[in-house]
Amino acid sequence: HKIKSITNPDMRVTIIKEYAKKHFPSTEVLDFALAVEEVTTQKKANLILNVDGCIAACFVDLLRSCGAFTREEADEALENGCLNGLFVLGRSIGFIAHHQDQLRMKQPLY
């Protein structure tokens, strides 16, 4: 990450991690991602788990452990690309908000 690092964490990631640890039945994938982060940040302080990776890990944990799906059903949804849809949806909402803000400020979209 260009700005965020182990000493300057992304608060969105911090909030998501804390929420998942407190409320999710299992955080197996998040725990794995955090273990990887421990290794990568030893090499370089800015090789941290970013917000998209944190959301993806938590979504997999929730999908697998919420009780609404079997492990096989959850894994099939993941194999079919449900995380891609989640990522695109978030980016689309952000782009629309950015466009609306540029219109409000009477500035071109860059």
Side-chain angles (χ1 to χ4, degrees), residues 39-51:
V39 173
T40 59
T41 53
Q42 289 176 7
K43 296 178 184 203
K44 197 168 180 185
N46 66 343
L47 295 176
I48 59 172
L49 179 62
N50 68 17
V51 70

Side-chain angles (χ1 to χ4, degrees), residues 7 17 44:
T7 57
K17 286 190 305 189
K44 197 168 180 185

Side-chain angles (χ1 to χ4, degrees), residues 95-107:
F95 178 76
I96 292 166
H98 176 72
H99 181 257
Q100 293 296 313
D101 203 35
Q102 294 299 106
L103 290 174
R104 180 186 59 80
M105 295 186 301
K106 303 199 182 340
Q107 294 179 347

Side-chain angles (χ1 to χ4, degrees), residues 65-85:
S65 66
C66 69
F69 308 98
T70 66
R71 174 69 181 249
E72 293 76 24
E73 290 169 333
D75 288 346
E76 182 179 357
L78 295 166
E79 289 169 13
N80 288 334
C82 71
L83 289 179
N84 293 334

Side-chain angles (χ1 to χ4, degrees), residues 30-43:
L30 177 60
D31 293 340
F32 179 80
L34 294 173
V36 170
E37 181 185 57
E38 285 183 29
V39 173
T40 59
T41 53
Q42 289 176 7
K43 296 178 184 203

Side-chain angles (χ1 to χ4, degrees), residues 1 5-6 10 12 19 21 26 31 33 35 38 45 48 51 55 58 61 68 73 76 81-82 87 91-92 97 99 110:
H1 196 278
S5 69
I6 202 74
D10 185 337
R12 299 171 300 173
Y19 184 88
K21 291 284 190 180
S26 170
D31 293 340
E38 285 183 29
I48 59 172
V51 70
I55 290 169
C58 290
D61 281 333
E73 290 169 333
E76 182 179 357
C82 71
F87 179 81
R91 289 293 181 259
S92 299
H99 181 257
Y110 58 89

